[in-house]
Amino acid sequence: MKKPLLTLFLVLYGAFLFAQSFTMEQITSYPFPTELTSAASSNRIAWAMNEKGLRNIYVAEAPEFIPRKITSFSKDDGQEITGIQFTSDGNTLVFVRGGEHGSNWDYNVGINPSQERLMPKVEIWKVAFSGGKAELLTEGDEPIISQDNQTVAFIKNRQVWTVSLQDKSSGQLFEIKGSVGNLSWSPEGTQLLFSVNRSTHSLIGVYHIGNQSVQYLSPSFSRDSSPKWSPDGNYVVFVRRPGGKPEPMPILEQRHSPWEIWVADVKTGVGKRRWKAPETLRGSISTTHGGANLHWAGDNNLVYLSYEDGWPHLYAMHAETGPSRQLTKGDFMVEHVSLSKDKKFLVFSANHGPNKEDIDRRHIGKVDIQTAAMEIWTNVQDGIEAIPVVLPDQKFIAYFSASPQRPMLPTVRNTATNEVSVIAQNLLPVDFPIQLVTPKQVIFKSPDGLNIHAQVFEKEGGPDKKPAVLFVHGGPQRQMLLGWHYGDYYSNTYAINQYLAEQGFVVLSVNFRLGIGYGYEFHKPARTYWQGAEEYLDVKAAGEYLAALPQVDPKRIGIYGGSYGGYLTALALARDSELFAVGVDIHGVHELSSRLEMPDGYEKAPDFEKAQRTAYLSSPLAYLDTWKSPVLFIHGDDDRNVQVSQTTDLIRRFEEKKMPFEYLMIPDDSHHWMKYANLVKVNQATVDFLKKHLQP
Ligand SMILES: CSCC[C@H](NC=O)C(=O)N[C@@H](C)C(=O)O
């Protein structure tokens, strides 16, 4: 082909590639799986699938694992499915429909984003594995099925109730003061283990079905939690933390958060301390997924997760005596821990693998409790795998897998043959875009010397100078990855970032300090949030990283984020409008001082006044006079993670200062856009506002 013709072809092909296009709704339309569980006695799995707001239960079974939908909820009504579990014979599933279980408060209160005439309730349902009509059992939450498949114990109005799986008759099992949770039947089914929160302290109790009596295990003035039965049902292991309110300590100093592991004899009710965490900052109880991840494993081993060596790792010790043994080791985090059916090994997610970039991915790991022999499996070169469960035939491990192009889907690995089956790929909409960019790992230094990981999304080609958008995640204990995310909130923001890249933006997603996956000191740094907001250093450094890229127009850099990311978006626009030209603040936090309001006469911490000043200076409210960039505020008014008042009050100040802003109020929806139509509306408003001001 002659040179001019070749040049013309390449220019046209480049323009074609750059012009590839899909809508925000198309990239949002992926099905999202949650609540993966397996039966105890047959190689059956079940999960909840959210298909454009229609949430249903799917099942699959060895050896083919062909997906089958067994419920038929057909409205985008915001009613989530949680708590999926099989009866012990694997023939029936029980599940919860309704509520907002990702909330910080009122998680088991009905939610109504579709404005149904009557407020939807939180309800417990059953459905046959073989399919057929799902049946409502009762109003309630946190169900646990008895081993004889006859009875479901559950929580209603913070108390314990039961319902018959046969005739649906139900009643309150017993009544005690406080808020009850953590239900589990004893191995032989004659006792029900629970925890009860009484605000200043919490207790572990056992209800004896036979004589209808309540027994407390080692009652104290502490906060006891996470109870687990021994396999023989004679003992219970639990976590003990201090109760009550301490003497006011310096607010701006970090300190150890103590915790212990106790074992109680159910016959006598007497407990003994089995282990005390090292009294170091790293020895504090982990706040990563599952906390202590306490399990009673085989050979009378207790297993737990601790941050004590600087990374969230698994440990084991004999239930009665002897030292604890570290099972997983290395500069990586263990997350989403699950015990095998024979209680001899654990499976988990880990940001660890054969490639150095795996620190910004997840892969499935297995560790033998007796020998500590560990292996890490990876699917495909740049794949992401998370949230594993072991099937009864323990060669099958089920989990969720994704890639930079494909969203999360249920997957089963046969560990004997290493055959991997991705399930339900047919549920991806036919017009779901597959030509997505592969995010690139970048690492830059914060002004105080931290290595900050980030992902850059950029489509090849296009003009010499492109606009850019910085995405700031929430949590903040989160980690954005080099592919579709295992969490629904961040799977959605990954979709937004892909759309923005396709529209011609250079997108950077910054993993600022306070995030997980990079060790204890990165996850728990000093002087952050209302104690100094030093995590903002990483956000500003990310903006400056973008501005320094040769292909970025430094005058056209936007920022967006939700929740904690909304807080940092507001802080960026307030403090650095000359760097961030526009922003979208989604259910952000803006006022940080009220947590330090104390009535006169109350004991105050020695650094109380300094802490109050620090909290004010850490909040966007302190910098409204320098907030010049356009902003879009978005908040749902049934938000149960960040009070909607955080946005209504900031908007009131904007109005009184006659500062320009745009807003989108989503009535009756929460922090997680339970109604798909609202999710699409928020996504579209976000990208339209950024495009309007940055002109890609
Ligand atoms: C500390 S402000 C609350 C932020 C909020 N955290 C939990 O509710 C948040 O960021 N929520 C989402 C986005 C998340 O947990 O990732």
Side-chain angles (χ1 to χ4, degrees):
M1 185 180 285
K2 291 198 177 0
K3 203 162 176 49
L5 271 181
L6 175 61
T7 305
L8 176 63
F9 168 76
L10 289 175
V11 166
L12 290 176
Y13 185 63
F16 165 73
L17 281 182
F18 195 71
Q20 278 287 355
S21 153
F22 49 81
T23 65
M24 189 67 240
E25 205 284 329
Q26 283 173 316
I27 189 74
T28 308
S29 67
Y30 57 89
F32 192 79
T34 54
E35 303 288 320
L36 181 64
T37 187
S38 89
S41 55
S42 50
N43 289 319
R44 297 176 168 180
I45 59 174
W47 68 95
M49 195 66 113
N50 182 346
E51 297 171 83
K52 298 171 74 169
L54 277 50
R55 295 174 171 88
N56 282 288
I57 295 180
Y58 280 77
V59 296
E61 185 171 18
E64 301 302 319
F65 291 103
I66 296 167
R68 187 164 47 86
K69 186 163 85 166
I70 61 170
T71 59
S72 52
F73 299 106
S74 57
K75 284 176 66 180
D76 174 19
D77 57 9
Q79 302 309 304
E80 68 178 357
I81 289 178
T82 56
I84 303 174
Q85 51 198 281
F86 283 89
T87 50
S88 56
D89 59 13
N91 294 329
T92 304
L93 291 108
V94 167
F95 60 97
V96 177
R97 190 165 188 269
E100 217 284 37
H101 295 78
S103 299
N104 291 333
W105 64 85
D106 285 350
Y107 60 87
N108 54 11
V109 171
I111 191 154
N112 193 15
S114 286
Q115 291 84 37
E116 306 291 344
R117 186 176 67 82
L118 298 175
M119 176 65 75
K121 295 183 176 0
V122 181
E123 299 171 328
I124 298 170
W125 291 66
K126 73 170 184 176
V127 63
F129 177 81
S130 55
K133 187 166 174 44
E135 291 178 63
L136 173 60
L137 288 174
T138 178
E139 184 180 355
D141 203 351
E142 303 176 55
I144 190 85
I145 307 170
S146 63
Q147 278 77 348
D148 64 4
N149 302 327
Q150 299 298 311
T151 307
V152 175
F154 64 95
I155 299 293
K156 185 166 77 170
N157 305 323
R158 306 186 310 163
Q159 293 289 304
V160 184
W161 291 61
T162 57
V163 60
S164 162
L165 268 174
Q166 312 317 320
D167 63 16
K168 302 184 193 176
S169 60
S170 76
Q172 187 162 355
L173 190 61
F174 61 93
E175 199 161 13
I176 57 171
K177 180 176 179 294
S179 180
V180 184
N182 285 296
L183 300 181
S184 67
W185 290 100
S186 60
E188 75 294 348
T190 56
Q191 297 157 332
L192 189 66
L193 180 64
F194 63 90
S195 64
V196 56
N197 183 347
R198 292 185 170 158
S199 70
T200 57
H201 62 291
S202 57
L203 304 172
I204 304 297
V206 173
Y207 182 74
H208 296 266
I209 303 292
N211 61 13
Q212 298 184 326
S213 65
V214 171
Q215 172 198 18
Y216 291 113
L217 301 182
S218 191
S220 76
F221 295 90
S222 306
R223 286 192 173 91
D224 294 344
S225 62
S226 312
K228 293 282 170 57
W229 287 103
S230 63
D232 62 12
N234 294 329
Y235 298 90
V236 167
V237 64
F238 59 91
V239 170
R240 173 160 286 182
R241 303 182 63 196
K245 195 161 62 101
E247 173 199 359
M249 322 267 241
I251 295 168
L252 299 176
E253 288 175 9
Q254 294 181 294
R255 64 182 64 82
H256 169 62
S257 174
W259 62 294
E260 301 170 348
I261 293 175
W262 280 60
V263 173
D265 180 335
V266 176
K267 289 187 188 61
T268 64
V270 174
K272 281 194 301 185
R273 189 178 79 189
R274 177 62 188 85
W275 178 83
K276 180 175 176 56
E279 294 184 68
T280 61
L281 281 178
R282 290 178 168 187
S284 304
I285 190 160
S286 177
T287 59
T288 55
H289 184 272
N293 286 276
L294 187 58
H295 293 277
W296 201 308
D299 302 323
N300 230 10
N301 282 303
L302 305 178
V303 294
Y304 60 96
L305 180 140
S306 169
Y307 234 133
E308 62 193 72
D309 84 340
W311 296 85
H313 277 306
L314 291 167
Y315 296 77
M317 60 185 171
H318 190 273
E320 289 163 26
T321 180
S324 69
R325 299 176 289 115
Q326 188 166 356
L327 298 178
T328 55
K329 295 178 182 174
D331 291 354
F332 63 90
M333 89 178 268
V334 165
E335 196 180 25
H336 309 123
V337 180
S338 182
L339 182 63
S340 63
K341 301 297 188 253
D342 68 2
K343 303 183 186 293
K344 292 187 182 303
F345 66 91
L346 296 154
V347 292
F348 52 87
S349 312
N351 60 337
H352 186 49
N355 304 310
K356 68 177 178 53
E357 291 182 340
D358 285 325
I359 192 170
D360 290 326
R361 297 191 178 103
R362 290 290 183 278
H363 296 306
I364 304 302
K366 171 189 176 183
V367 65
D368 182 285
I369 295 167
Q370 208 53 44
T371 66
M374 186 185 91
E375 49 189 311
I376 296 281
W377 297 301
T378 57
N379 272 11
V380 291
Q381 171 70 15
D382 54 7
I384 291 176
E385 305 88 35
I387 313 179
V389 291
V390 186
L391 276 64
D393 171 348
Q394 302 193 126
K395 64 172 183 265
F396 291 122
I397 312 285
Y399 50 90
F400 294 137
S401 79
S403 74
Q405 281 70 39
R406 174 180 58 80
M408 283 284 165
L409 284 172
T411 302
V412 174
R413 172 187 286 271
N414 179 332
T415 57
T417 63
N418 277 331
E419 181 189 1
V420 172
S421 312
V422 178
I423 303 169
Q425 300 192 70
N426 60 306
L427 296 183
L428 277 172
V430 288
D431 64 345
F432 184 78
I434 51 174
Q435 294 292 334
L436 302 179
V437 301
T438 297
K440 291 182 178 55
Q441 181 191 65
V442 297
I443 303 171
F444 54 83
K445 287 283 187 191
S446 68
D448 53 350
L450 294 185
N451 285 325
I452 305 303
H453 287 236
Q455 305 84 44
V456 172
F457 300 70
E458 183 179 2
K459 186 165 73 167
E460 288 183 14
D464 292 346
K465 288 293 183 184
K466 299 175 184 175
V469 171
L470 174 61
F471 166 64
V472 192
H473 67 74
Q477 65 289 357
R478 303 285 183 251
Q479 181 184 16
M480 299 304 104
L481 306 173
L482 291 166
W484 286 88
H485 202 275
Y486 53 80
D488 55 359
Y489 195 97
Y490 298 107
S491 185
N492 182 59
T493 53
Y494 185 86
I496 294 173
N497 294 339
Q498 285 285 357
Y499 176 80
L500 291 170
E502 186 276 330
Q503 289 289 308
F505 288 92
V506 177
V507 180
L508 186 138
S509 170
V510 60
N511 285 344
F512 56 91
R513 73 189 77 181
L514 286 172
I516 55 175
Y518 305 106
Y520 184 85
E521 284 68 30
F522 191 91
H523 177 195
K524 299 286 182 180
R527 299 177 301 283
T528 56
Y529 199 30
W530 53 276
Q531 297 173 308
E534 286 194 1
E535 69 276 24
Y536 178 67
L537 293 170
D538 308 338
V539 174
K540 183 171 182 180
E544 289 166 344
Y545 175 91
L546 278 171
L549 289 178
Q551 73 272 35
V552 167
D553 176 352
K555 292 298 176 199
R556 289 191 293 157
I557 297 175
I559 182 170
Y560 85 97
S563 201
Y564 204 98
Y567 157 64
L568 290 170
T569 293
L571 201 58
L573 296 170
R575 281 184 174 175
D576 292 299
S577 273
E578 76 290 341
L579 176 59
F580 299 104
V582 63
V584 181
D585 169 354
I586 306 168
H587 37 237
V589 180
H590 309 111
E591 190 288 317
L592 305 182
S593 311
S594 54
R595 67 193 66 225
L596 287 169
E597 280 161 8
M598 299 273 282
D600 288 343
Y602 264 63
E603 265 188 302
K604 291 193 175 70
D607 61 350
F608 182 79
E609 285 68 27
K610 181 182 177 187
Q612 264 191 325
R613 181 73 185 147
T614 303
Y616 176 71
L617 294 174
S618 303
S619 92
L621 299 184
Y623 309 94
L624 296 188
D625 294 344
T626 52
W627 187 326
K628 305 302 179 195
S629 297
V631 61
L632 168 64
F633 294 116
I634 303 176
H635 216 126
D637 70 357
D638 193 1
D639 194 318
R640 305 172 189 179
N641 293 75
V642 174
Q643 295 284 2
V644 67
S645 59
Q646 289 285 343
T647 296
T648 53
D649 296 354
L650 180 58
I651 282 180
R652 179 69 181 273
R653 293 182 188 226
F654 265 65
E655 287 168 339
E656 287 169 352
K657 289 176 176 288
K658 297 187 176 16
M659 294 166 63
F661 66 93
E662 293 187 29
Y663 68 89
L664 175 60
M665 152 63 78
I666 305 286
D668 301 317
D669 212 331
S670 73
H671 210 66
H672 301 97
W673 314 128
M674 304 298 280
K675 184 178 176 67
Y676 176 76
N678 287 335
L679 178 72
V680 173
K681 181 188 285 187
V682 168
N683 286 0
Q684 196 64 60
T686 298
V687 299
D688 288 351
F689 190 76
L690 292 168
K691 285 163 69 176
K692 177 172 78 174
H693 287 276
L694 298 175
Q695 302 294 327

